[in-house]
């Protein structure tokens, strides 16, 4: 009898701890579930867009083309307005860190500084991924750094009156022959998917 009373008293004085433990277990399983479902860095293409508004879900879905039989599980889109006071901080943190592709206007980088952030290349290197007549941005070293993609994105990206160019992060490991550190060409396939978006929309 005394043991029963002691047990009931124990429960009465310690029910808060049981609640905390229960909540902790629930949170643990929740974050475990989220982590298992969230693609790892190697399983996604990361794109940053310098724009005031982007339809991220639509763009992500449109660009996930031809990746079904690859390790790529997601095309992740992030964006920030270049007109904001904090954009320089955003660019040096979110835009250039752990991204494969950066889409922005050429006004936000000083000429001669593109090789600090992006990889330069010749037209021959990307001929299989862009249509004829594509406009390019050449930096002072004579290499191509930017590929104009405004016409392919204007239905889901606020252009803010600017031409937008696609740049490849020099630290990306998904740009095939453009970089010695690259393991595959998935970012280049994404470029091709961007350039084919309008063709797909016209057919539909």
């Amino acid at each position: 009898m005394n043991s029963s009373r002691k047990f009931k008293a124990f429960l009465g004085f310690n029910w808060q701890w049981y609640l905390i433990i229960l909540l902790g277990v629930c949170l643990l399983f929740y974050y475990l579930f989220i982590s298992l479902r969230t693609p790892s860095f190697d399983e996604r293409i990361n794109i940053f867009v310098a724009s005031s508004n982007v339809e991220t879900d639509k763009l992500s879905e449109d660009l996930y083309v031809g990746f079904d039989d690859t390790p790529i599980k997601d095309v992740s889109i992030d964006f920030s307005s270049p007109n904001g006071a904090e954009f320089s901080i955003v660019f040096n943190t979110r835009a250039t860190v752990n991204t494969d592709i950066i889409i922005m206007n050429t006004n936000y980088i000083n000429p001669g500084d593109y090789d600090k952030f992006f990889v330069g290349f010749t037209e021959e290197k990307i001929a299989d991924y862009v249509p004829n007549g594509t406009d390019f941005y050449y930096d002072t070293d004579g290499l191509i750094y930017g590929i104009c993609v405004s016409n392919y994105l204007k239905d889901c990206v606020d252009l803010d009156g600017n031409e937008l160019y696609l740049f490849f992060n020099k630290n990306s490991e998904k740009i095939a022959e453009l970089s010695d550190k690259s393991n595959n060409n998935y970012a280049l396939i994404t470029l091709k998917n961007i350039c084919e978006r309008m063709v797909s929309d016209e057919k539909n």
Side-chain angles (χ1 to χ4, degrees):
M1 196 67 178
N2 289 335
S3 298
S4 178
R5 288 178 179 176
K6 288 181 180 179
F7 182 69
K8 289 180 180 179
F10 175 80
L11 289 178
F13 284 112
N14 294 277
W15 66 268
Q16 303 98 324
W17 292 107
Y18 287 103
L19 181 60
I20 292 172
I21 292 172
L22 179 61
L23 289 174
V25 170
C26 291
L27 286 173
L28 177 63
F29 276 100
Y30 172 76
Y31 284 113
L32 181 62
F33 175 76
I34 293 296
S35 64
L36 290 175
R37 291 198 57 178
T38 302
S40 67
F41 176 74
D42 293 330
E43 294 175 331
R44 66 179 184 267
I45 304 294
N46 293 306
I47 301 176
F48 179 88
V49 185
S51 171
S52 59
N53 186 53
V54 181
E55 295 183 26
T56 55
D57 291 341
K58 174 176 171 52
L59 187 57
S60 177
E61 182 179 353
D62 287 355
L63 298 185
Y64 189 80
V65 178
F67 289 122
D68 291 333
D69 297 326
T70 73
I72 300 299
K73 297 179 180 179
D74 181 45
V75 178
S76 177
I77 312 292
D78 185 18
F79 71 95
S80 178
S81 173
N83 300 316
E86 73 287 353
F87 182 73
S88 61
I89 297 174
V90 171
F91 178 79
N92 286 291
T93 53
R94 282 163 43 194
T96 59
V97 177
N98 294 333
T99 57
D100 300 296
I101 290 171
I102 299 171
I103 297 174
M104 62 189 297
N105 185 266
T106 57
N107 292 334
Y108 304 110
I109 304 291
N110 294 323
D113 288 346
Y114 281 84
D115 65 342
K116 292 181 181 179
F117 311 103
F118 312 125
V119 64
F121 48 85
T122 62
E123 186 172 350
E124 290 75 19
K125 292 282 189 179
I126 59 166
D128 293 336
Y129 303 96
V130 297
N132 293 329
T134 299
D135 291 330
F136 302 113
Y137 175 85
Y138 292 83
D139 200 18
T140 54
D141 59 5
L143 292 175
I144 295 171
Y145 283 84
I147 303 154
C148 189
V149 293
S150 298
N151 289 337
Y152 311 113
L153 299 175
K154 57 187 177 183
D155 64 321
C156 60
V157 175
D158 189 341
L159 303 181
D160 299 315
N162 295 320
E163 291 285 353
L164 295 183
Y165 286 78
L166 181 150
F167 303 92
F168 293 111
N169 190 330
K170 69 186 302 180
N171 295 316
S172 173
E173 297 179 355
K174 305 181 182 77
I175 49 178
E177 65 271 18
L178 302 187
S179 172
D180 293 337
K181 66 179 67 174
S182 186
N183 298 321
N184 55 67
N185 68 336
Y186 297 145
L188 287 166
I189 292 174
T190 305
L191 165 64
K192 187 175 182 179
N193 291 343
I194 289 175
C195 293
E196 290 180 346
R197 283 188 73 249
M198 300 304 291
V199 175
S200 299
D201 289 345
E202 289 173 1
K203 289 181 178 179
N204 295 332

PDB file of all heavy atoms in Angstrom, residues 5 17 31 44 57 64 74 79 101 111 128 130 135 137 147 163 168 174 177 184 186 188 192 194:
ATOM      1  N   ARG A   5       1.197   4.298  -2.842  1.00  0.00           N
ATOM      2  CA  ARG A   5       1.065   5.719  -2.547  1.00  0.00           C
ATOM      3  C   ARG A   5       2.316   6.494  -2.964  1.00  0.00           C
ATOM      4  O   ARG A   5       2.236   7.609  -3.478  1.00  0.00           O
ATOM      5  CB  ARG A   5       0.806   5.911  -1.053  1.00  0.00           C
ATOM      6  CG  ARG A   5      -0.592   5.483  -0.616  1.00  0.00           C
ATOM      7  CD  ARG A   5      -0.759   5.650   0.872  1.00  0.00           C
ATOM      8  NE  ARG A   5      -2.098   5.264   1.295  1.00  0.00           N
ATOM      9  CZ  ARG A   5      -2.497   5.231   2.549  1.00  0.00           C
ATOM     10  NH1 ARG A   5      -1.639   5.544   3.519  1.00  0.00           N
ATOM     11  NH2 ARG A   5      -3.747   4.871   2.848  1.00  0.00           N
ATOM     12  N   TRP A  17       7.985  16.484 -16.006  1.00  0.00           N
ATOM     13  CA  TRP A  17       9.129  15.873 -16.679  1.00  0.00           C
ATOM     14  C   TRP A  17       8.682  14.873 -17.738  1.00  0.00           C
ATOM     15  O   TRP A  17       9.279  14.780 -18.811  1.00  0.00           O
ATOM     16  CB  TRP A  17      10.038  15.198 -15.658  1.00  0.00           C
ATOM     17  CG  TRP A  17      10.719  16.184 -14.756  1.00  0.00           C
ATOM     18  CD1 TRP A  17      10.469  16.436 -13.442  1.00  0.00           C
ATOM     19  CD2 TRP A  17      11.764  17.092 -15.143  1.00  0.00           C
ATOM     20  NE1 TRP A  17      11.275  17.425 -12.964  1.00  0.00           N
ATOM     21  CE2 TRP A  17      12.096  17.856 -13.991  1.00  0.00           C
ATOM     22  CE3 TRP A  17      12.446  17.336 -16.326  1.00  0.00           C
ATOM     23  CZ2 TRP A  17      13.069  18.834 -14.010  1.00  0.00           C
ATOM     24  CZ3 TRP A  17      13.432  18.316 -16.345  1.00  0.00           C
ATOM     25  CH2 TRP A  17      13.728  19.050 -15.195  1.00  0.00           C
ATOM     26  N   TYR A  31      12.127  16.105 -36.510  1.00  0.00           N
ATOM     27  CA  TYR A  31      13.329  16.584 -37.201  1.00  0.00           C
ATOM     28  C   TYR A  31      14.045  15.439 -37.925  1.00  0.00           C
ATOM     29  O   TYR A  31      14.653  15.651 -38.981  1.00  0.00           O
ATOM     30  CB  TYR A  31      14.269  17.271 -36.212  1.00  0.00           C
ATOM     31  CG  TYR A  31      13.808  18.644 -35.820  1.00  0.00           C
ATOM     32  CD1 TYR A  31      13.390  18.924 -34.523  1.00  0.00           C
ATOM     33  CD2 TYR A  31      13.758  19.675 -36.762  1.00  0.00           C
ATOM     34  CE1 TYR A  31      12.946  20.188 -34.169  1.00  0.00           C
ATOM     35  CE2 TYR A  31      13.319  20.937 -36.417  1.00  0.00           C
ATOM     36  CZ  TYR A  31      12.910  21.190 -35.121  1.00  0.00           C
ATOM     37  OH  TYR A  31      12.466  22.442 -34.777  1.00  0.00           O
ATOM     38  N   ARG A  44      20.676  18.082 -54.817  1.00  0.00           N
ATOM     39  CA  ARG A  44      19.857  19.191 -55.315  1.00  0.00           C
ATOM     40  C   ARG A  44      20.704  20.205 -56.077  1.00  0.00           C
ATOM     41  O   ARG A  44      21.909  20.305 -55.871  1.00  0.00           O
ATOM     42  CB  ARG A  44      19.114  19.874 -54.173  1.00  0.00           C
ATOM     43  CG  ARG A  44      19.986  20.593 -53.176  1.00  0.00           C
ATOM     44  CD  ARG A  44      19.145  21.256 -52.078  1.00  0.00           C
ATOM     45  NE  ARG A  44      19.974  22.037 -51.175  1.00  0.00           N
ATOM     46  CZ  ARG A  44      20.494  21.592 -50.057  1.00  0.00           C
ATOM     47  NH1 ARG A  44      20.260  20.343 -49.677  1.00  0.00           N
ATOM     48  NH2 ARG A  44      21.239  22.370 -49.297  1.00  0.00           N
ATOM     49  N   ASP A  57       8.043  27.803 -56.427  1.00  0.00           N
ATOM     50  CA  ASP A  57       7.506  26.453 -56.638  1.00  0.00           C
ATOM     51  C   ASP A  57       7.362  26.138 -58.125  1.00  0.00           C
ATOM     52  O   ASP A  57       7.721  25.049 -58.576  1.00  0.00           O
ATOM     53  CB  ASP A  57       6.155  26.300 -55.939  1.00  0.00           C
ATOM     54  CG  ASP A  57       6.287  26.302 -54.426  1.00  0.00           C
ATOM     55  OD1 ASP A  57       7.403  26.065 -53.936  1.00  0.00           O
ATOM     56  OD2 ASP A  57       5.280  26.539 -53.737  1.00  0.00           O
ATOM     57  N   TYR A  64      12.955  20.912 -62.967  1.00  0.00           N
ATOM     58  CA  TYR A  64      13.279  19.527 -62.618  1.00  0.00           C
ATOM     59  C   TYR A  64      12.883  18.627 -63.792  1.00  0.00           C
ATOM     60  O   TYR A  64      11.899  17.902 -63.759  1.00  0.00           O
ATOM     61  CB  TYR A  64      12.561  19.103 -61.335  1.00  0.00           C
ATOM     62  CG  TYR A  64      13.040  17.772 -60.818  1.00  0.00           C
ATOM     63  CD1 TYR A  64      14.218  17.679 -60.089  1.00  0.00           C
ATOM     64  CD2 TYR A  64      12.337  16.597 -61.068  1.00  0.00           C
ATOM     65  CE1 TYR A  64      14.677  16.461 -59.626  1.00  0.00           C
ATOM     66  CE2 TYR A  64      12.788  15.373 -60.603  1.00  0.00           C
ATOM     67  CZ  TYR A  64      13.956  15.309 -59.885  1.00  0.00           C
ATOM     68  OH  TYR A  64      14.409  14.093 -59.430  1.00  0.00           O
ATOM     69  N   ASP A  74      15.873  17.576 -56.217  1.00  0.00           N
ATOM     70  CA  ASP A  74      15.204  18.869 -56.085  1.00  0.00           C
ATOM     71  C   ASP A  74      16.022  19.964 -56.754  1.00  0.00           C
ATOM     72  O   ASP A  74      17.256  19.899 -56.791  1.00  0.00           O
ATOM     73  CB  ASP A  74      15.006  19.204 -54.603  1.00  0.00           C
ATOM     74  CG  ASP A  74      14.300  20.523 -54.381  1.00  0.00           C
ATOM     75  OD1 ASP A  74      13.293  20.777 -55.071  1.00  0.00           O
ATOM     76  OD2 ASP A  74      14.751  21.311 -53.531  1.00  0.00           O
ATOM     77  N   PHE A  79      15.793  33.604 -53.396  1.00  0.00           N
ATOM     78  CA  PHE A  79      15.880  34.910 -54.051  1.00  0.00           C
ATOM     79  C   PHE A  79      15.901  36.028 -53.025  1.00  0.00           C
ATOM     80  O   PHE A  79      15.500  35.858 -51.871  1.00  0.00           O
ATOM     81  CB  PHE A  79      14.715  35.109 -55.031  1.00  0.00           C
ATOM     82  CG  PHE A  79      13.370  35.319 -54.380  1.00  0.00           C
ATOM     83  CD1 PHE A  79      12.884  36.608 -54.158  1.00  0.00           C
ATOM     84  CD2 PHE A  79      12.587  34.242 -53.998  1.00  0.00           C
ATOM     85  CE1 PHE A  79      11.654  36.808 -53.563  1.00  0.00           C
ATOM     86  CE2 PHE A  79      11.351  34.432 -53.410  1.00  0.00           C
ATOM     87  CZ  PHE A  79      10.875  35.727 -53.184  1.00  0.00           C
ATOM     88  N   ILE A 101      24.117  27.946 -59.237  1.00  0.00           N
ATOM     89  CA  ILE A 101      23.760  28.942 -60.240  1.00  0.00           C
ATOM     90  C   ILE A 101      23.300  30.217 -59.539  1.00  0.00           C
ATOM     91  O   ILE A 101      22.557  30.165 -58.560  1.00  0.00           O
ATOM     92  CB  ILE A 101      22.635  28.415 -61.153  1.00  0.00           C
ATOM     93  CG1 ILE A 101      23.172  27.288 -62.048  1.00  0.00           C
ATOM     94  CG2 ILE A 101      22.019  29.529 -61.987  1.00  0.00           C
ATOM     95  CD1 ILE A 101      22.092  26.565 -62.835  1.00  0.00           C
ATOM     96  N   PRO A 111      33.158  45.224 -63.262  1.00  0.00           N
ATOM     97  CA  PRO A 111      33.935  44.574 -64.320  1.00  0.00           C
ATOM     98  C   PRO A 111      35.325  44.201 -63.814  1.00  0.00           C
ATOM     99  O   PRO A 111      35.971  44.963 -63.104  1.00  0.00           O
ATOM    100  CB  PRO A 111      34.009  45.655 -65.411  1.00  0.00           C
ATOM    101  CG  PRO A 111      32.793  46.506 -65.170  1.00  0.00           C
ATOM    102  CD  PRO A 111      32.608  46.525 -63.676  1.00  0.00           C
ATOM    103  N   ASP A 128      26.129  22.955 -76.385  1.00  0.00           N
ATOM    104  CA  ASP A 128      25.081  21.931 -76.339  1.00  0.00           C
ATOM    105  C   ASP A 128      23.944  22.278 -75.375  1.00  0.00           C
ATOM    106  O   ASP A 128      22.937  21.573 -75.338  1.00  0.00           O
ATOM    107  CB  ASP A 128      25.676  20.578 -75.926  1.00  0.00           C
ATOM    108  CG  ASP A 128      26.624  20.016 -76.976  1.00  0.00           C
ATOM    109  OD1 ASP A 128      26.478  20.391 -78.164  1.00  0.00           O
ATOM    110  OD2 ASP A 128      27.504  19.228 -76.604  1.00  0.00           O
ATOM    111  N   VAL A 130      22.716  25.744 -74.821  1.00  0.00           N
ATOM    112  CA  VAL A 130      22.007  27.001 -75.100  1.00  0.00           C
ATOM    113  C   VAL A 130      21.646  27.074 -76.577  1.00  0.00           C
ATOM    114  O   VAL A 130      22.343  26.502 -77.428  1.00  0.00           O
ATOM    115  CB  VAL A 130      22.863  28.224 -74.711  1.00  0.00           C
ATOM    116  CG1 VAL A 130      23.143  28.232 -73.215  1.00  0.00           C
ATOM    117  CG2 VAL A 130      24.174  28.257 -75.496  1.00  0.00           C
ATOM    118  N   ASP A 135      22.597  35.623 -75.958  1.00  0.00           N
ATOM    119  CA  ASP A 135      23.452  36.742 -75.570  1.00  0.00           C
ATOM    120  C   ASP A 135      24.310  36.352 -74.373  1.00  0.00           C
ATOM    121  O   ASP A 135      23.816  35.740 -73.422  1.00  0.00           O
ATOM    122  CB  ASP A 135      22.604  37.967 -75.200  1.00  0.00           C
ATOM    123  CG  ASP A 135      21.902  38.560 -76.413  1.00  0.00           C
ATOM    124  OD1 ASP A 135      22.451  38.451 -77.526  1.00  0.00           O
ATOM    125  OD2 ASP A 135      20.801  39.116 -76.243  1.00  0.00           O
ATOM    126  N   TYR A 137      27.558  37.557 -71.500  1.00  0.00           N
ATOM    127  CA  TYR A 137      28.314  38.635 -70.881  1.00  0.00           C
ATOM    128  C   TYR A 137      29.777  38.219 -70.835  1.00  0.00           C
ATOM    129  O   TYR A 137      30.133  37.205 -70.231  1.00  0.00           O
ATOM    130  CB  TYR A 137      27.825  38.946 -69.459  1.00  0.00           C
ATOM    131  CG  TYR A 137      28.691  39.991 -68.782  1.00  0.00           C
ATOM    132  CD1 TYR A 137      28.456  41.338 -68.989  1.00  0.00           C
ATOM    133  CD2 TYR A 137      29.775  39.616 -67.982  1.00  0.00           C
ATOM    134  CE1 TYR A 137      29.270  42.299 -68.396  1.00  0.00           C
ATOM    135  CE2 TYR A 137      30.596  40.569 -67.392  1.00  0.00           C
ATOM    136  CZ  TYR A 137      30.330  41.909 -67.612  1.00  0.00           C
ATOM    137  OH  TYR A 137      31.140  42.855 -67.046  1.00  0.00           O
ATOM    138  N   ILE A 147      25.114  34.282 -69.032  1.00  0.00           N
ATOM    139  CA  ILE A 147      24.258  33.840 -70.134  1.00  0.00           C
ATOM    140  C   ILE A 147      22.897  34.486 -69.929  1.00  0.00           C
ATOM    141  O   ILE A 147      22.245  34.268 -68.894  1.00  0.00           O
ATOM    142  CB  ILE A 147      24.111  32.309 -70.138  1.00  0.00           C
ATOM    143  CG1 ILE A 147      25.494  31.652 -70.225  1.00  0.00           C
ATOM    144  CG2 ILE A 147      23.212  31.846 -71.284  1.00  0.00           C
ATOM    145  CD1 ILE A 147      25.539  30.261 -69.630  1.00  0.00           C
ATOM    146  N   GLU A 163      17.856  43.104 -67.375  1.00  0.00           N
ATOM    147  CA  GLU A 163      18.223  41.862 -68.039  1.00  0.00           C
ATOM    148  C   GLU A 163      18.890  40.973 -66.997  1.00  0.00           C
ATOM    149  O   GLU A 163      19.752  41.423 -66.241  1.00  0.00           O
ATOM    150  CB  GLU A 163      19.201  42.124 -69.195  1.00  0.00           C
ATOM    151  CG  GLU A 163      18.605  42.859 -70.376  1.00  0.00           C
ATOM    152  CD  GLU A 163      17.703  41.967 -71.212  1.00  0.00           C
ATOM    153  OE1 GLU A 163      17.646  40.753 -70.950  1.00  0.00           O
ATOM    154  OE2 GLU A 163      17.047  42.485 -72.130  1.00  0.00           O
ATOM    155  N   PHE A 168      27.565  30.690 -63.248  1.00  0.00           N
ATOM    156  CA  PHE A 168      27.869  29.470 -62.510  1.00  0.00           C
ATOM    157  C   PHE A 168      28.833  29.787 -61.377  1.00  0.00           C
ATOM    158  O   PHE A 168      29.901  30.363 -61.601  1.00  0.00           O
ATOM    159  CB  PHE A 168      28.497  28.420 -63.432  1.00  0.00           C
ATOM    160  CG  PHE A 168      27.560  27.891 -64.474  1.00  0.00           C
ATOM    161  CD1 PHE A 168      27.756  28.200 -65.810  1.00  0.00           C
ATOM    162  CD2 PHE A 168      26.479  27.085 -64.124  1.00  0.00           C
ATOM    163  CE1 PHE A 168      26.898  27.717 -66.779  1.00  0.00           C
ATOM    164  CE2 PHE A 168      25.606  26.601 -65.088  1.00  0.00           C
ATOM    165  CZ  PHE A 168      25.820  26.918 -66.421  1.00  0.00           C
ATOM    166  N   LYS A 174      28.925  20.832 -59.964  1.00  0.00           N
ATOM    167  CA  LYS A 174      27.949  20.285 -60.907  1.00  0.00           C
ATOM    168  C   LYS A 174      28.023  20.983 -62.265  1.00  0.00           C
ATOM    169  O   LYS A 174      27.016  21.140 -62.950  1.00  0.00           O
ATOM    170  CB  LYS A 174      26.539  20.410 -60.329  1.00  0.00           C
ATOM    171  CG  LYS A 174      26.357  19.791 -58.946  1.00  0.00           C
ATOM    172  CD  LYS A 174      24.922  19.929 -58.461  1.00  0.00           C
ATOM    173  CE  LYS A 174      24.749  19.361 -57.065  1.00  0.00           C
ATOM    174  NZ  LYS A 174      25.266  20.267 -56.024  1.00  0.00           N
ATOM    175  N   GLU A 177      32.679  20.040 -67.493  1.00  0.00           N
ATOM    176  CA  GLU A 177      33.984  20.422 -68.024  1.00  0.00           C
ATOM    177  C   GLU A 177      34.358  21.872 -67.761  1.00  0.00           C
ATOM    178  O   GLU A 177      35.469  22.298 -68.107  1.00  0.00           O
ATOM    179  CB  GLU A 177      34.034  20.164 -69.540  1.00  0.00           C
ATOM    180  CG  GLU A 177      33.070  21.011 -70.363  1.00  0.00           C
ATOM    181  CD  GLU A 177      31.707  20.366 -70.518  1.00  0.00           C
ATOM    182  OE1 GLU A 177      31.393  19.463 -69.725  1.00  0.00           O
ATOM    183  OE2 GLU A 177      30.973  20.764 -71.425  1.00  0.00           O
ATOM    184  N   ASN A 184      29.939  16.370 -62.102  1.00  0.00           N
ATOM    185  CA  ASN A 184      28.874  16.068 -63.058  1.00  0.00           C
ATOM    186  C   ASN A 184      28.429  17.341 -63.770  1.00  0.00           C
ATOM    187  O   ASN A 184      28.947  18.426 -63.495  1.00  0.00           O
ATOM    188  CB  ASN A 184      27.689  15.411 -62.341  1.00  0.00           C
ATOM    189  CG  ASN A 184      27.198  16.255 -61.188  1.00  0.00           C
ATOM    190  OD1 ASN A 184      26.667  17.340 -61.376  1.00  0.00           O
ATOM    191  ND2 ASN A 184      27.407  15.773 -59.954  1.00  0.00           N
ATOM    192  N   TYR A 186      25.101  18.512 -63.908  1.00  0.00           N
ATOM    193  CA  TYR A 186      23.706  18.750 -63.554  1.00  0.00           C
ATOM    194  C   TYR A 186      23.330  20.230 -63.604  1.00  0.00           C
ATOM    195  O   TYR A 186      22.191  20.575 -63.943  1.00  0.00           O
ATOM    196  CB  TYR A 186      23.404  18.169 -62.177  1.00  0.00           C
ATOM    197  CG  TYR A 186      23.566  16.665 -62.108  1.00  0.00           C
ATOM    198  CD1 TYR A 186      24.040  16.042 -60.951  1.00  0.00           C
ATOM    199  CD2 TYR A 186      23.260  15.853 -63.213  1.00  0.00           C
ATOM    200  CE1 TYR A 186      24.185  14.656 -60.892  1.00  0.00           C
ATOM    201  CE2 TYR A 186      23.410  14.474 -63.154  1.00  0.00           C
ATOM    202  CZ  TYR A 186      23.874  13.886 -61.991  1.00  0.00           C
ATOM    203  OH  TYR A 186      24.020  12.522 -61.940  1.00  0.00           O
ATOM    204  N   LEU A 188      24.612  22.392 -65.656  1.00  0.00           N
ATOM    205  CA  LEU A 188      24.516  22.702 -67.085  1.00  0.00           C
ATOM    206  C   LEU A 188      23.208  22.182 -67.671  1.00  0.00           C
ATOM    207  O   LEU A 188      22.595  22.819 -68.537  1.00  0.00           O
ATOM    208  CB  LEU A 188      25.714  22.107 -67.828  1.00  0.00           C
ATOM    209  CG  LEU A 188      27.044  22.825 -67.593  1.00  0.00           C
ATOM    210  CD1 LEU A 188      28.210  21.979 -68.086  1.00  0.00           C
ATOM    211  CD2 LEU A 188      27.060  24.183 -68.260  1.00  0.00           C
ATOM    212  N   LYS A 192      20.130  24.261 -69.596  1.00  0.00           N
ATOM    213  CA  LYS A 192      19.395  23.818 -70.780  1.00  0.00           C
ATOM    214  C   LYS A 192      17.895  23.796 -70.509  1.00  0.00           C
ATOM    215  O   LYS A 192      17.093  24.204 -71.359  1.00  0.00           O
ATOM    216  CB  LYS A 192      19.878  22.424 -71.201  1.00  0.00           C
ATOM    217  CG  LYS A 192      19.287  21.941 -72.516  1.00  0.00           C
ATOM    218  CD  LYS A 192      19.905  20.615 -72.935  1.00  0.00           C
ATOM    219  CE  LYS A 192      19.339  20.159 -74.281  1.00  0.00           C
ATOM    220  NZ  LYS A 192      19.947  18.878 -74.709  1.00  0.00           N
ATOM    221  N   ILE A 194      16.289  25.710 -68.430  1.00  0.00           N
ATOM    222  CA  ILE A 194      15.835  27.103 -68.418  1.00  0.00           C
ATOM    223  C   ILE A 194      15.596  27.588 -69.845  1.00  0.00           C
ATOM    224  O   ILE A 194      14.565  28.201 -70.150  1.00  0.00           O
ATOM    225  CB  ILE A 194      16.870  28.000 -67.717  1.00  0.00           C
ATOM    226  CG1 ILE A 194      16.883  27.723 -66.213  1.00  0.00           C
ATOM    227  CG2 ILE A 194      16.585  29.480 -67.976  1.00  0.00           C
ATOM    228  CD1 ILE A 194      17.959  28.464 -65.446  1.00  0.00           C
TER     229      ILE A 194
END
